[in-house]
Amino acid sequence: MKLDKKRKQHYVWKYYLKQWTQNKKVFLLYNNEILNTNLDNVANSRDFYRLKELNSNDLIFLQYAINKINDPLLKKLDIDWINTFSEVFKIREKIIKSGNSNKELDNIIDITINNMEEELHSKIENIGSKYLKMILEQDLSFFETDEGFIEFTLYLCMQYFRTENMKNQALQSEIADSSFIINMDNVWSIFKILFATNMAYTLYASKEDWKMQLLENGTEIPFITGDQPVINEYSIPNTISKELSLYYPVSPILAIRISKELDRSKSSQICTKKDVIIQNKKIKNNSYQQIYGNTKSSLETFITK
């Protein structure tokens, strides 16, 4: 069986972006220019998910971070993730030390290192797809069930942390404790998975406090999305907010919000033109390099003169 190395790796799910396509193309604002292109050309980077081998300092830092977690189940989940993504490097080291290394085996290991996280995201996307379909059918009932809540919030948190935008912010960040000398590029390959897991776990731990609301857009201005498709509405770019309200457009006419502040008696909100403009600005302000729309006009307002 031939294994294919997946080189062009998308950090925004192509299936999700299809809602903004017309004739299999999407309008894209990039470098202050609007383009009309297919989804293969957006929100991707070569070998974006290729795993990085953690050095001893990286592992010490990760252990330090995990030791701060009080919940034993969450701590175990995080340790399991680290072990899962470290195992391939341990196997490679054992093979080299045994003297059994050969070209075919080296190639399999290399492909595994390159594809492993990409395949994880594919599995999570497969789980998320059924919930996206329900949202597009304006059915949010799954959010009231344990299984639906857990699976969808994990999917959503993964979409939040997996992007190039979040990676860039991590690489620019400074570790508060200067005693750690780590390679953030290495650590981020696993940290984003831990962050997504921890956020989803925290949401579920206070499940009764959270409400999902459907935002319905009947205006002539469509919702746009971007290369940071899930945003925290309380966040200011390049800062950390302790408050959380997740916003996720799922099509030009539908979006969702997950927040503690929502009126629990209202499962949906009809958006005015002003509402849509505000939400689109939030997407633009939280994007990294690209925003997407189903029409050229929906992006023109964001061109700087």
Side-chain angles (χ1 to χ4, degrees):
M1 181 178 69
K2 182 181 178 182
L3 296 174
D4 293 322
K5 185 185 287 188
K6 301 172 182 177
R7 308 305 302 269
K8 182 183 279 190
Q9 298 180 332
H10 287 78
Y11 46 85
V12 180
W13 188 18
K14 283 173 61 178
Y15 174 82
Y16 159 77
L17 288 174
K18 282 184 179 181
Q19 293 297 323
W20 281 269
T21 58
Q22 300 285 344
N23 298 318
K24 298 184 178 181
K25 290 188 175 184
V26 67
F27 285 97
L28 154 73
L29 178 61
Y30 175 63
N31 280 344
N32 212 38
E33 181 181 0
I34 296 177
L35 308 170
N36 191 218
T37 185
N38 65 59
L39 296 181
D40 285 333
N41 298 325
V42 305
N44 69 80
S45 183
R46 186 177 176 85
D47 299 337
F48 183 73
Y49 295 121
R50 184 176 178 84
L51 299 180
K52 306 294 197 308
E53 185 171 10
L54 302 174
N55 61 39
S56 57
N57 287 333
D58 299 334
L59 289 168
I60 290 170
F61 171 71
L62 286 172
Q63 189 60 58
Y64 169 80
I66 288 174
N67 285 342
K68 288 187 170 184
I69 298 173
N70 294 322
D71 189 294
L73 178 56
L74 181 55
K75 185 178 291 189
K76 183 181 183 303
L77 287 172
D78 285 350
I79 291 172
D80 286 347
W81 278 127
I82 294 171
N83 290 338
T84 296
F85 285 99
S86 298
E87 187 63 25
V88 64
F89 296 105
K90 293 177 182 178
I91 292 172
R92 183 176 67 178
E93 185 178 358
K94 287 180 180 178
I95 292 172
I96 293 172
K97 287 182 176 180
S98 70
N100 293 323
S101 180
N102 59 64
K103 186 175 181 180
E104 183 179 359
L105 196 53
D106 290 347
N107 186 54
I108 292 173
I109 293 291
D110 184 66
I111 291 174
T112 301
I113 291 170
N114 207 78
N115 291 1
M116 191 172 181
E117 188 187 336
E118 167 92 355
E119 290 170 357
L120 168 66
H121 287 296
S122 293
K123 291 176 182 178
I124 292 172
E125 289 163 354
N126 286 338
I127 293 171
S129 63
K130 62 183 176 183
Y131 299 115
L132 275 186
K133 182 179 179 181
M134 291 179 72
I135 293 170
L136 291 168
E137 294 172 351
Q138 303 190 32
D139 179 2
L140 306 185
S141 60
F142 65 87
F143 200 69
E144 303 302 320
T145 70
D146 281 353
E147 181 180 356
F149 189 102
I150 292 169
E151 290 186 342
F152 182 72
T153 53
L154 180 60
Y155 160 80
L156 198 66
C157 292
M158 286 290 186
Q159 310 319 302
Y160 181 69
F161 282 107
R162 69 185 283 189
T163 65
E164 187 168 20
N165 179 48
M166 297 301 285
K167 179 180 180 179
N168 182 63
Q169 290 187 37
L171 295 181
Q172 292 180 1
S173 67
E174 295 182 3
I175 301 301
D177 190 329
S178 59
S179 63
F180 291 104
I181 302 173
I182 65 168
N183 185 328
M184 181 54 80
D185 191 31
N186 286 0
V187 171
W188 184 247
S189 66
I190 180 62
F191 236 22
K192 63 176 174 286
I193 306 297
L194 303 187
F195 280 147
T197 302
N198 294 0
M199 180 187 279
Y201 189 93
T202 301
L203 287 169
Y204 180 70
S206 55
K207 177 178 181 290
E208 300 306 317
D209 295 335
W210 296 94
K211 169 74 176 176
M212 182 192 290
Q213 188 177 70
L214 186 71
L215 306 182
E216 301 180 58
N217 177 10
T219 76
E220 68 272 22
I221 304 173
F223 287 132
I224 65 168
T225 190
D227 55 11
Q228 181 62 47
V230 183
I231 65 169
N232 178 8
E233 296 182 282
Y234 286 120
S235 72
I236 299 171
N238 300 315
T239 64
I240 297 174
S241 173
K242 292 183 179 180
E243 297 183 279
L244 187 67
S245 174
L246 296 176
Y247 169 73
Y248 186 45
V250 296
S251 79
I253 60 171
L254 292 173
I256 59 163
R257 175 182 284 128
I258 296 177
S259 174
K260 291 182 177 181
E261 310 300 326
L262 296 171
D263 185 341
R264 303 191 74 83
S265 67
K266 296 181 180 179
S267 60
S268 64
Q269 173 190 334
I270 305 298
C271 293
T272 65
K273 185 184 293 188
K274 181 180 178 181
D275 294 329
V276 176
I277 290 172
I278 289 172
Q279 295 308 120
N280 285 351
K281 283 183 178 178
K282 290 177 183 177
I283 287 290
K284 174 61 172 68
N285 291 340
N286 284 273
S287 67
Y288 181 56
Q289 293 179 324
Q290 303 178 353
I291 56 174
Y292 317 110
N294 66 323
T295 64
K296 185 178 180 181
S297 60
S298 65
L299 302 180
E300 286 176 333
T301 185
F302 298 106
I303 295 178
T304 56
K305 304 299 183 182

